[in-house]
Amino acid sequence: MRPILPVHRAAPRLVLAPLALLALICLALPGQAEAQGQRTITFQDLMKFRAIQSPAISEDGTIVAYALQPDRGDGEGVVHVLATGRVHRVPRGGAPIITRDGRHVAMPVKISFADIEKPAKDRPKPGLAIVETSTGKVTTIENADRLAFSQDGRWAAYFVAPPEPQKDEKEKAGEAPRPATLHLRDLSTGADTELGRATAFAFDQASNLLAYAAATVDGAGNGLYVLDSGPGAAPLAVVQAAKGRYESIAWSSEGSRLAFLAGVEAKPGEAGAATLWTWDGKARRARALAAAAQAPKGWTLPLENEVAWSRDGRRVFFGFRPDGPPPGDRNEEKAAEPDPYDVDRLLEKVELDVWHWKDPQIQTQQRIGWGRQKDRTYRAVAHLESGRVVALADLEVPDVRIPDNARVALGTTTVPYARQATWDEGGRDAWLVDLETGKRTQ
């Protein structure tokens, strides 16, 4: 009697048969599809598929806007007016923002795919488009970006990039970037007002005031100004300083007080330690609230920061950062002529990454995270009534949320579990941080 074949030998035949059948079907499909007037999908088709990006909806739910972007090529911005069913399209439009009243939608206008393929010096700059939802009228603004609407939807402020400087102008300006020009547009009339060169701006909650950081090429006319939206109003100087820089402009919720950071450039593009200021719009008075000298030992108050008011308007949150050597503050000697036979110089270029198994992160994680870590700030709070400045976060508990209450904030940390997170989910500890003292309770 012939032996019976083991069952496990028959299994490959049961698997291979369906695979062979599937292969035959796939080979037959193109011809069958073409015979029925269809065609096989190609990589070119896949690249033309458009994905919805950055969807937005108006507060009353009547306007929906988004960007349609293919993998390669030019996309478009789309605005749906749900009440009428009308659809407005903006060629090459990007992520939209909508006014609170739903009357206008703004979006960036990207440069075309054909222009992207050109050398950088020959590429045009992107622009902005403002869509009037009731009529579909599209206003295009060339070389513009960073648009924001006022809360009441009447005003739009945006920057227009400066023209390319001539050779002699570049020499005068040195390495300092040329400031853009700030424009204020009345959306009800279309009137556009040029406010001069600036670097930052913010509308108050009531849409009555616009704060902006004026900046000139030479820095002599730098200052923080507040403009009343009333007819014929002139800008009011809050603080002024030659070579001054002003960032992180934030209005309080009731809209009458302003907080911002101010610093002075020691070198073009390099700002030193900053000072946290507040301005009382009713009293028309500015006050220095916190300075780098009030930071913990070894820490500083950087200009690149995040500023926010507490809900009750009695505190201002900002951030400290570990202090390091100022950029460019090194006594570099003039480079000598290179010696092709200098062995020591050759060895200096050898790079070696040393990782210890107890390091909290592996080298690749350290490299990726360094860009975020070197510039991050750690939450602190300044109390307006007492003038007290309290550091809330540090390297051990780096994340502290801005609270809605007046007593404590929630702090969290993954630091003790950083090494474990390399191969596992890790963990997170939570703390209550006292806003008056900075004391933590787990």
Side-chain angles (χ1 to χ4, degrees), residues 217-394:
V217 175
D218 60 4
N222 292 4
L224 188 86
Y225 293 83
V226 172
L227 176 67
D228 193 309
S229 60
L236 173 67
V238 175
V239 291
Q240 293 174 295
K243 303 290 184 180
R245 284 179 55 184
Y246 309 91
E247 301 286 348
S248 303
I249 303 171
W251 288 97
S252 60
S253 58
E254 84 280 0
S256 63
R257 289 178 295 173
L258 183 69
F260 59 94
L261 286 164
V264 177
E265 287 188 349
K267 295 180 181 180
E270 296 180 7
T275 301
L276 175 66
W277 287 78
T278 59
W279 178 75
D280 190 328
K282 296 179 180 178
R284 295 293 196 266
R285 183 174 63 249
R287 168 192 175 189
L289 190 60
Q294 295 168 283
K297 184 178 180 181
W299 292 62
T300 188
L301 201 172
L303 188 64
E304 292 77 15
N305 217 306
E306 180 183 347
V307 173
W309 287 84
S310 62
R311 178 174 291 185
D312 59 11
R314 300 173 63 181
R315 287 164 297 280
V316 178
F317 294 91
F318 62 102
F320 289 127
R321 188 172 68 196
D323 197 8
D329 189 16
R330 303 179 180 89
N331 296 323
E332 299 179 356
E333 298 180 358
K334 184 178 180 180
E337 290 294 326
D339 180 1
Y341 309 107
D342 188 344
V343 177
D344 293 335
R345 189 177 182 87
L346 291 173
L347 292 177
E348 287 178 357
K349 296 183 179 180
V350 176
E351 296 182 357
L352 176 65
D353 290 334
V354 179
W355 175 79
H356 191 275
W357 70 277
K358 289 187 177 181
D359 285 351
Q361 292 181 326
I362 61 177
Q363 291 293 333
T364 51
Q365 287 178 306
Q366 293 179 30
R367 290 196 194 98
I368 294 173
W370 173 242
R372 298 188 301 268
Q373 292 297 324
K374 68 182 180 67
D375 294 327
R376 75 163 294 172
T377 57
Y378 297 78
R379 190 85 67 197
V381 62
H383 298 267
L384 270 69
E385 294 179 3
S386 64
R388 185 181 180 87
V389 176
V390 182
L392 304 175
D394 57 20

